[in-house]
Amino acid sequence: METTLILLKPDCVKRRLIGKVISRFEDKGLRIAGMKLMKMDEELAAKHYEAHVGKPFYAGLVSFMTSDPIVALAVEGPNAIEVCRNMMGATFGFKAAPGTIRGDYGISNQYNLVHGSDSPEAAERELGLFFPGGEGILSWSTADADLHACD
Ligand code: IDP
Ligand code: MG
């Protein structure tokens, strides 16, 4: 069982796609363990995207991510990190396969709707940034948890 950090980026929120995108994760069988509508400040954006400092798109990315609200989600399930990354699709909307979130809802390189942690180490670090000390992450069982369990 894994928990991953998913961010619904400002383009997703502003296009009123919050519900549609969260539905995809719920429909898959994943559990929403934490959820916050919030605005990122520059400090949080800098920590979250520290791996990208110095890249040509970095300043634009931070400015975009801090411009309008986001939704931060802690999403749990078997192999949740890889499952969510596959559901998101390739980074650029114009390369992401149809059927993926980025493939179905966008065509931009930067405005690509969602962020998802890309490894267990990243998930742990990023969940700590958005849900410090685990605050806001709740333990509960979905009604059909037995159908989504792995032996
Ligand atoms: P990922 O979100 O699929 O993990 P990363 O390479 O980690 O992709 O890039 C982080 C974010 O930075 C992307 O989701 C996208 O919003 C933005 N980004 C990445 N590459 C470019 C680019 O070449 N131009 C503009 N924005 C980019
Ligand atoms: Mg990344």
Side-chain angles (χ1 to χ4, degrees):
M1 199 58 103
E2 285 178 349
T3 306
T4 187
L5 178 81
I6 297 293
L7 301 178
L8 308 187
K9 296 185 178 186
D11 56 326
C12 181
V13 173
K14 292 181 80 174
R15 289 173 59 194
R16 305 179 306 279
L17 290 172
I18 294 172
K20 284 195 170 109
V21 174
I22 291 179
S23 279
R24 294 202 176 211
F25 296 120
E26 289 196 308
D27 289 349
K28 179 67 177 168
L30 295 157
R31 183 176 77 84
I32 306 300
M35 176 159 70
K36 279 184 197 173
L37 178 69
M38 59 182 281
K39 214 165 161 200
M40 283 175 87
D41 61 20
E42 295 227 358
E43 191 188 339
L44 180 56
K47 283 186 192 153
H48 178 64
Y49 283 123
E50 69 183 11
H52 297 300
V53 172
K55 294 187 184 168
F57 60 83
Y58 177 76
L61 177 62
V62 168
S63 143
F64 160 54
M65 291 300 293
T66 55
S67 64
D68 281 293
I70 60 154
V71 177
L73 301 163
V75 176
E76 184 201 72
N79 295 303
I81 296 165
E82 186 185 358
V83 166
C84 289
R85 290 285 295 188
N86 287 337
M87 291 177 71
M88 289 160 51
T91 301
F92 299 156
F94 51 78
K95 290 209 171 144
T100 65
I101 294 164
R102 288 164 166 175
D104 287 351
Y105 288 112
I107 202 157
S108 167
N109 55 4
Q110 177 173 254
Y111 306 123
N112 60 1
L113 298 126
V114 278
H115 164 85
S117 308
D118 63 6
S119 67
E121 299 70 35
E124 192 184 345
R125 188 182 82 82
E126 295 172 358
L127 285 164
L129 292 175
F130 288 85
F131 298 93
E135 200 174 324
I137 298 186
L138 305 182
S139 265
W140 52 280
S141 273
T142 59
D144 54 356
D146 51 333
L147 299 175
H148 300 134
C150 287
D151 291 329

